[in-house]
Each structure stands twice: as C-alpha cells, then as structure tokens.
Amino acid sequence: MADDTLRDASEKPLYDALRGWIDNRIGNVLFLGARFPELAAEMLERGISVMVVDVDMPRMEAFQKETRAVSGSSRRLGFDPRPYDSIRFEASSFNFALAWDGVPGGMDAPAFCKKVRRELKAGSNLYLRVPVRPASPLGLAPRIAEGPAARLLPAVARIERLAGDLLYAPDALDLEALREALGRWLKIEEVVPAGPLLSRLSMRVPGLADAAVTLPGVSRILGQLDQRLRTERWATEVLIRASKTLDMGKVFLTGSRFDPSLSGGRD
C-alpha cells in the first residue's frame, strides 16, 4: 500500500497490522473483494492458492491484470463474480479470509460469521475491516440513563443520532453488537482501530482524501498524528482478527480445497 494520499495514510495502521498477521506458509486464502493485488501476487509466488470473490467486474479485471503483471504464474488464482452469500465453498477450505470492504453485501454480521467460519480451516483467521460506531456517539446517553436527568433521554437520543450521522458512515455497525455476533462463531483475537481524523476526512471529503499529496511527507506526518490519537472509542473503522478455534464447537477437518480451474482461474 502506497502512502501518498490521505486515505492511504488513514488505512496504513490497519494494513500494517494485516501484513503482520499473515503467515506465508499457509495453503489457500479467500479475498472477499478484489483488493491488494500485490499481496495476492506475493502469495501466488509462494505457492498459495488465492480465491477472489467480487461482483464488481471492472475492479476484478483490474485486480487480475495487476496480479498477473507481478506474479510469474496465475495458475492458483481463482475468481468468482457471484455474491458471496450465494456461493457454497466446501467446509474447511481456507487458511484465512480477508474482508477489507466490510461484511459482504446482502448479509448481516451473524450470517456472514456463520458462513465464513464453516469455510475456514480449524485454527484459521478472518480479517475483517469494517466501519463502526458506538451505541452512544457522544457518550451522553449512558450518563443520564438513570437518575433525575433520565427524563431528558429522548432528546439526548436524538442529539446522539444526529452526531452519529455526522461523525460515522451510514453503514457503520455498532461495535459491541458486532463483537457479540462475531463471538458466537469465532474468537476475537485482536481489534485494531483506525485514527479518528483521516478516516473521517476520507469519508466526508473523498475527493481530497484520494488526491495525491504533492508536498513531501505531509501524508506521513498527518498519519503519524492520527495514529497518536487512535482509540477504539472514537474510531470510524476497525480491523478485526477473529479465529476459528478448536474449543468453539464442532470443527470441520475434511482437508477440502477449492479448484481454481473450476471458478475462473486461468494462466
């Protein structure tokens, strides 16, 4: 990931965490969204099979082109343009699943977690980057929920909703509710929050956030400032590492693999 735009600087802590988690000795991986072709190419060079699911065909084609430009062989690269919720991969097919663009369209968090758990191998991980918001964006509601000021709760709730709409993405999920949904099927190992400033700028002024920064070091300096302010309480997005552990009910040990040749992969 280049660090030459404000959006890149905002996402860099999450991407760095992702790269630190990935074990290049693994066998099959699932990309839910055609993102990071350089990462896919690196895995292909190590003999790792990569399955990419994305309904956005132009993005899929660009990903395919960039990956093949870097990787010497794409024999292990597979594509599926169908919505993820309509695909039934074999149980225990993947060593990790990467959902950088959040919960796939057409699914809620519980359904997604249940499906991806089935398709992960025992001990494997889901890496989920998702927009989030707290139940009480300003932290006011919990303070007055009890006591004499409780009668003001309806008005405070309206203020909280307005603040939430201003500070967080429309599709942001309640982080605690997301934790609960994930916890039913996977074990949350780590949560990495994005900084509070650049992510909001990227959300509200995408044209500015995606423009190349011409002054040397500006995005890096702003990114460092943003990292100092990082806290889960104010984050607009987080990257979650959740594992399919052996102590969370029945696991599948079929050793099954997907065959890229059956899903669009070709040299």
Side-chain angles (χ1 to χ4, degrees):
M1 173 182 288
D3 187 11
D4 56 1
T5 71
L6 296 183
R7 189 183 300 276
D8 292 333
S10 171
E11 295 183 2
K12 188 177 186 302
L14 306 188
Y15 185 72
D16 288 347
L18 172 67
R19 292 302 301 260
W21 292 336
I22 291 176
D23 182 351
N24 285 323
R25 297 170 296 177
I26 56 185
N28 299 326
V29 300
L30 174 64
F31 282 34
L32 296 173
R35 300 289 301 268
F36 308 132
E38 76 286 351
L39 178 59
E42 179 182 317
M43 293 181 169
L44 292 170
E45 289 297 304
R46 287 177 165 80
I48 298 170
S49 298
V50 179
M51 169 59 70
V52 184
V53 174
D54 199 326
V55 298
D56 186 330
M57 290 307 299
R59 186 166 72 168
M60 182 86 85
E61 290 169 0
F63 178 96
Q64 188 172 355
K65 181 178 179 180
E66 292 180 44
T67 302
R68 287 175 175 163
V70 178
S71 175
S73 172
S74 56
R75 183 176 59 85
R76 292 179 174 270
L77 182 61
F79 291 93
D80 198 317
R82 295 174 294 172
Y84 177 58
D85 62 347
S86 70
I87 304 171
R88 186 173 178 82
F89 291 116
E90 291 187 32
S92 302
S93 289
F94 301 105
N95 295 85
F96 80 67
L98 170 61
W100 188 261
D101 296 317
V103 175
M107 307 186 78
D108 59 17
F112 169 62
C113 296
K114 180 179 180 180
K115 175 173 168 55
V116 79
R117 181 189 186 279
R118 176 185 175 276
E119 293 163 1
L120 287 172
K121 294 182 180 180
S124 298
N125 291 289
L126 165 67
Y127 306 129
L128 172 65
R129 172 177 166 262
V130 63
V132 294
R133 64 188 290 173
S136 175
L138 299 179
L140 298 176
R143 297 179 185 178
I144 68 167
E146 299 178 0
R151 65 183 184 279
L152 301 176
L153 194 57
V156 169
R158 287 195 292 272
I159 294 173
E160 292 268 29
R161 282 196 298 271
L162 291 173
D165 292 342
L166 178 64
L167 296 173
Y168 298 93
D171 58 344
L173 303 177
D174 183 303
L175 183 54
E176 292 310 310
L178 178 60
R179 285 179 183 275
E180 182 179 350
L182 272 171
R184 291 181 57 194
W185 304 102
L186 300 164
K187 180 182 178 183
I188 298 176
E189 303 286 355
E190 192 169 351
V191 178
V192 179
L197 301 180
L198 294 180
S199 59
R200 285 184 170 83
L201 180 63
S202 299
M203 177 177 64
R204 292 299 173 191
V205 195
L208 175 62
D210 291 326
V213 178
T214 55
L215 294 177
V218 169
S219 62
R220 177 179 56 81
I221 293 171
L222 291 176
Q224 289 175 346
L225 173 62
D226 209 30
Q227 288 189 48
R228 292 182 179 226
L229 298 174
R230 281 196 302 152
T231 172
E232 194 174 297
R233 173 68 180 82
W234 290 106
T236 64
E237 59 185 14
V238 297
L239 178 66
I240 298 174
R241 177 168 67 94
S243 64
K244 178 178 177 178
T245 62
L246 294 173
D247 60 349
M248 295 190 67
K250 182 179 180 181
V251 297
F252 299 92
L253 299 174
T254 63
S256 58
R257 292 171 176 261
F258 68 84
D259 183 351
S261 66
L262 300 179
S263 54
R266 59 185 185 279
D267 288 327

